[in-house]
Amino acid sequence: DAGVIQSPRHEVTEMGQEVTLRCKPISGHNSLFWYRQTMMRGLELLIYFNNNVPIDDSGMPEDRFSAKMPNASFSTLKIQPSEPRDSAVYFCASSLGGQNEQYFGPGTRLTVT
Amino acid sequence: QKEVEQNSGPLSVPEGAIASLNCTYSDRGSQSFFWYRQYSGKSPELIMFIYSNGDKEDGRFTAQLNKASQYVSLLIRDSQPSDSATYLCAVEGGSNYKLTFGKGTLLTVNP
């Protein structure tokens, strides 16, 4: 079975540019989570969806960040405009409803210069 | 604010020894507890989960949970150099499936 798929794996962009990160959850999983990981702050939950509906976006740092899940097999996390402090590894994870075990994708390493 | 605390390490053990990783959490309502392993430059990988007080064993790994003390641990027996990684403790409170992660403990197993 394919795991969680994320793209791109690496993204380097200039400050002010729009960045879009993509995620395909494990087939059949109906919960999807976006995390950000930095050395200073560790792994932080940004937003999570259940059955394609955003349930909790309290971790989204500010209005520059937005996330969508148009269907059960695809989600995007967008940063517009990007800033150097957004540089981090962004992970997507999914889980099967009713179970709490989350499975992570390979991550997108974002560098904003 | 729910908190999960881990000793950042590094924890260094010789090959073949038992490595003991510890985690405390602040939310008494937490129900589910997870250990993830993260190799450098890789994503977190789920290795153990525990829901009930006591011990849960899976191969060389044993998770221990004490809800009264708000403490969860991971023991790795017969440690191998391939076990060298950062171990993340994660705690879920209530039924909303949100996990709060500790910052992780770096484990180094020396040949």
Side-chain angles (χ1 to χ4, degrees):
Chain A
D1 283 340
V4 176
I5 298 172
Q6 291 186 248
S7 65
R9 297 292 305 277
H10 301 273
E11 177 80 32
V12 180
T13 191
E14 292 183 347
M15 182 175 62
Q17 297 298 306
E18 177 179 296
V19 175
T20 299
L21 311 181
R22 297 173 177 80
C23 175
K24 176 179 170 56
I26 293 172
S27 178
H29 283 192
N30 60 346
S31 292
L32 183 140
F33 306 81
W34 282 102
Y35 290 89
R36 177 172 67 178
Q37 188 175 40
T38 61
M39 289 292 292
M40 287 296 294
R41 301 176 67 89
L43 196 60
E44 301 174 282
L45 177 66
L46 299 177
I47 185 171
Y48 89 95
F49 295 85
N50 190 45
N51 293 324
N52 311 339
V53 176
I55 302 300
D56 187 339
D57 65 355
S58 60
M60 296 286 261
E62 48 196 276
D63 292 345
R64 296 185 298 107
F65 286 69
S66 62
K68 294 182 179 180
M69 191 165 186
N71 58 61
S73 59
F74 184 66
S75 177
T76 59
L77 177 68
K78 185 177 294 186
I79 308 172
Q80 167 63 18
S82 57
E83 296 183 2
R85 60 193 169 119
D86 301 331
S87 297
V89 181
Y90 290 81
F91 289 106
C92 176
S94 70
S95 69
L96 184 61
Q99 300 180 13
N100 297 330
E101 300 93 270
Q102 295 181 21
Y103 296 90
F104 283 73
T108 295
R109 182 172 296 276
L110 174 64
T111 302
V112 184
T113 61
Chain B
Q1 179 80 5
K2 298 177 183 178
E3 295 184 351
V4 177
E5 300 288 339
Q6 295 182 255
N7 188 325
S8 62
L11 173 65
S12 183
V13 301
E15 183 175 355
I18 296 174
S20 178
L21 304 162
N22 305 314
C23 172
T24 59
Y25 59 94
S26 63
D27 182 7
R28 282 197 170 275
S30 298
Q31 298 293 323
S32 308
F33 307 85
F34 304 85
W35 284 100
Y36 285 80
R37 176 177 62 199
Q38 187 173 25
Y39 292 114
S40 180
K42 301 296 185 182
S43 60
E45 173 192 9
L46 179 64
I47 55 172
M48 288 286 288
F49 57 87
I50 186 167
Y51 300 147
S52 303
N53 274 331
D55 295 359
K56 179 181 178 182
E57 186 174 316
D58 183 0
R60 296 186 297 111
F61 298 97
T62 298
Q64 299 175 317
L65 174 62
N66 184 326
K67 289 186 178 180
S69 300
Q70 296 175 242
Y71 177 93
V72 58
S73 65
L74 179 70
L75 301 179
I76 306 175
R77 290 181 300 282
D78 188 24
S79 296
Q80 301 297 309
S82 58
D83 295 326
S84 298
T86 295
Y87 289 80
L88 302 169
C89 172
V91 175
E92 183 269 340
S95 60
N96 61 9
Y97 312 127
K98 286 178 61 174
L99 296 184
T100 301
F101 282 82
K103 291 191 175 180
T105 298
L106 176 62
L107 172 67
T108 300
V109 180
N110 301 305

